[in-house]
Amino acid sequence: MRYAYYPGCSLEGSARDYSTSVAAISQPLGLQLEELEDWNCCGASSAHALDERVGISLPARNLALAESTGLDLVTPCAACYNRLASAHHRLERKPELRGEVAAELGLPYQGSVRPRALIEVVMSDVGSERLRELVSRPLGGLRPAAYYGCLLVRPAYLGLDDPERPRFLDDLLTALGAQPVEWSHGTECCGGHLGVSRPEVATRLVGNILAAAEEAGAEALVTACPMCQANLELRQAEAGRRRGRAHNLPVYYFTDLIGLALGLSPETLGLPKHLWPGWELLKTKGIWAGGGGP
Amino acid sequence: MEPLVLSGRQAQREAFLTEVNRLAETEVRLCYQCGKCSAGCPVSPEMDRPPHQLMRLLQLGLEAEALAADSLWLCTSCHTCSSRCPRNVRVDVVLEVLRHLAAPTREGSSKIVAFHRSFLESVGRRGRLDEVDLTIRLKRRTREYFKDAGVGLELFRKGRLSLGHRSIRGVAAVRYLLRPKGGD
């Protein structure tokens, strides 16, 4: 199954481990991800925060570039998905804007490319049945907390599932043999860009999320957004200091757990680059045999 | 808040609400101040004007107060507010519209605006974000040179800092999209 692939800027930098993880699982899942030629930044939070037109035209350039491929445009980043889908949706609803945007881009814009989130591609095009077949090392006994964050489920007209009680990540984890916990903070905001612009606010939000995961008996968090993963990792130490007790919760990408369940090594998945790779946890659960590691 | 004479400048105040309604494609007058938006907003504890208060300011047509609110910038665009509004008011889009109206005059008056401007400047350099370049620009603007140095070091140790990528071929096209739009 072929897709045009939009990694997003963070996968070239702070989320390089996610990039490694995605690359490692794409072949076993039968996903041929062809990086979009000359893609540009989707604008993330900043473009649409300051200017309506820039917030649409930056992601629209990628949609326009992808048209010649005839493929869906798939991204592993929840924020990039939201921006690509927002631009696609707006230009679909406002055909009078299309001509203006095309003129700004210097590219034709038909609106023919469907932006998709990687996790949705895995659940829809690969499916949980096929995932179960492919699993060679079930994650039995692992109790992760499925952390959806905001932008995969809201706003509802762009979201992949119910905004209050989504299930797709829990279903994926169950298909891998894990036992995702029921918990309160699955769709609570991690702070997004505040992790850089006002980190003390993000620390408070991250602290709440981690504490809620612990209260539900979770041993790790699983996410599909590099911004969330960064906030949950980078603010975790400070959140622990504020409450007087460290959290020590690994924050995995969903692709990490798919890879582990498919029998891939943590190194192949980029796990050593996590701040909390969770080696002890993986060893205890029989998911990693030890040696090699950190 | 200073006492206001609400009987004055009625037409002007209504015109502002009408304009916000038009830009946001919603009807702010539907808001009956139930507070669910503010209750769900992750950052309402830090906000000077949580979302339901912004809706009330708009209903009263208090343009200056609404546009001066710091809460516009604390908003993370999590969309919880609009997903819970029982009257389907697009609270998230209203805040976005207010940001667009307020942005031109918020020159460096907020760390968050400084962040957004630094981000887009960095994108304009090579067509994609360079996180190290963003950090340098942000620190220059905020003059908080040592903040988060520990975090930066951790990322560096783990090989998670982007360093020195080339520009995309279409960087000129991206710069055109990011051009300042003064007299548009």
Side-chain angles (χ1 to χ4, degrees):
Chain A
M1 293 174 288
R2 288 175 64 214
Y3 306 88
Y5 178 58
Y6 180 86
C9 305
S10 62
L11 265 74
E12 290 191 330
S14 58
R16 185 167 301 150
D17 41 356
Y18 194 14
S19 179
T20 305
S21 190
V22 169
I25 63 149
S26 53
Q27 192 265 333
L29 291 185
L31 304 175
Q32 201 176 313
L33 301 175
E34 298 166 14
E35 187 164 329
L36 181 68
E37 183 84 28
D38 214 46
W39 58 268
N40 61 277
C41 178
C42 72
S45 309
S46 302
H48 74 92
L50 295 183
D51 187 284
E52 219 255 302
R53 183 55 61 84
V54 177
I56 297 294
S57 59
L58 280 175
R61 180 174 180 274
N62 298 296
L63 295 170
L65 288 174
E67 280 176 7
S68 60
T69 67
L71 302 168
D72 287 343
L73 185 61
V74 178
T75 180
C77 170
C80 301
Y81 165 70
N82 175 274
R83 292 319 306 156
L84 292 166
S86 294
H88 176 78
H89 179 88
R90 183 131 185 95
L91 293 170
E92 201 167 56
R93 285 186 62 242
K94 301 264 165 186
E96 65 273 21
L97 271 184
R98 263 181 244 160
E100 288 174 37
V101 170
E104 286 241 327
L105 295 176
L107 291 167
Y109 183 86
Q110 310 295 339
S112 58
V113 169
R114 190 158 67 116
R116 298 177 69 187
L118 178 63
I119 191 169
E120 182 267 317
V121 167
V122 170
M123 290 313 279
S124 304
D125 299 359
V126 179
S128 33
E129 272 319 298
R130 179 77 185 124
L131 269 180
R132 267 180 239 268
E133 278 169 27
L134 291 168
V135 168
S136 59
R137 184 170 56 196
L139 308 178
L142 181 67
R143 280 175 300 138
Y147 179 66
Y148 296 83
C150 305
L151 299 178
L152 291 176
V153 299
R154 290 187 299 269
Y157 58 89
L158 297 178
L160 306 180
D161 199 344
D162 185 89
E164 300 287 357
R165 287 186 60 88
R167 305 308 305 173
F168 59 90
L169 179 52
D170 290 86
D171 292 343
L172 187 152
L173 294 169
T174 304
L176 300 178
Q179 280 139 52
V181 300
E182 290 295 315
W183 69 307
S184 52
H185 278 52
T187 61
E188 293 293 315
C189 184
C190 71
H193 68 80
L194 296 178
V196 180
S197 56
R198 289 281 295 273
E200 73 284 3
V201 180
T203 300
R204 180 177 70 75
L205 298 174
V206 162
N208 291 345
I209 292 164
L210 295 172
E214 281 170 4
E215 199 175 299
E219 295 159 327
L221 270 78
V222 187
T223 180
C225 173
M227 185 84 248
C228 299
Q229 204 275 349
N231 282 344
L232 290 166
E233 274 205 325
L234 298 176
R235 300 298 152 204
Q236 188 172 140
E238 178 61 23
R241 275 192 290 273
R242 279 199 197 174
R243 71 158 187 182
R245 192 163 44 95
H247 288 283
N248 288 326
L249 275 175
V251 185
Y252 297 117
Y253 289 107
F254 74 98
T255 47
D256 294 340
L257 296 192
I258 291 176
L260 290 171
L262 260 51
L264 300 177
S265 75
E267 289 80 8
T268 316
L269 296 163
L271 253 56
K273 286 201 192 308
H274 286 357
L275 297 186
W276 273 274
W279 301 116
E280 278 314 306
L281 175 68
L282 296 178
K283 222 191 288 185
T284 313
K285 301 291 168 173
I287 296 168
W288 175 63
Chain B
M1 213 170 136
E2 294 295 313
L4 293 162
V5 179
L6 289 177
S7 52
R9 292 163 46 242
Q10 177 104 1
Q12 196 176 332
R13 288 189 291 103
E14 281 194 15
F16 178 63
L17 174 55
T18 303
E19 180 63 356
V20 171
N21 277 339
R22 183 187 72 83
L23 290 169
E25 296 177 284
T26 194
E27 176 50 85
V28 171
R29 291 182 192 92
L30 284 170
C31 167
Y32 53 26
Q33 297 284 286
C34 73
K36 280 185 81 171
C37 54
S38 299
C41 175
V43 285
S44 56
E46 281 91 0
M47 282 181 162
D48 52 350
R49 297 269 174 228
H52 79 288
Q53 287 188 5
L54 286 170
M55 296 302 110
R56 191 65 189 135
L57 286 175
L58 290 175
Q59 287 176 342
L60 296 171
L62 295 171
E63 178 175 354
E65 286 79 4
L67 295 182
D70 208 49
S71 45
L72 301 184
W73 303 101
L74 273 164
C75 168
T76 64
S77 295
C78 79
H79 304 285
T80 301
C81 48
S82 59
S83 77
R84 295 195 179 162
C85 178
R87 309 222 69 193
N88 294 321
V89 176
R90 286 152 56 104
V91 182
D92 52 347
V93 184
V94 169
L95 260 78
E96 183 100 314
V97 164
L98 293 176
R99 279 191 285 276
H100 298 160
L101 293 171
T105 50
R106 294 295 293 238
E107 279 311 320
S109 59
S110 149
K111 272 191 225 179
I112 295 167
V113 174
F115 166 78
H116 291 316
R117 293 201 194 286
S118 303
F119 187 104
L120 293 181
E121 255 176 33
S122 186
V123 172
R125 257 188 78 239
R126 63 177 201 99
R128 296 177 190 169
L129 178 73
D130 178 332
E131 290 160 336
V132 174
D133 179 67
L134 162 64
T135 307
I136 293 169
R137 285 173 195 276
L138 183 58
K139 286 186 186 301
R140 243 191 255 141
R141 275 192 161 93
T142 60
R143 301 195 204 172
E144 290 175 336
Y145 297 104
F146 296 106
K147 189 166 94 155
D148 263 354
V151 163
L153 196 57
E154 294 229 55
L155 285 176
F156 175 71
R157 277 209 206 106
K158 289 286 187 174
R160 279 162 67 178
L161 283 185
S162 57
L163 294 165
H165 290 286
R166 292 193 327 272
S167 294
I168 65 171
R169 282 196 325 271
V171 62
V174 171
R175 284 181 192 153
Y176 180 68
L177 298 177
L178 290 168
R179 71 196 183 282
K181 295 181 186 77
D184 243 36

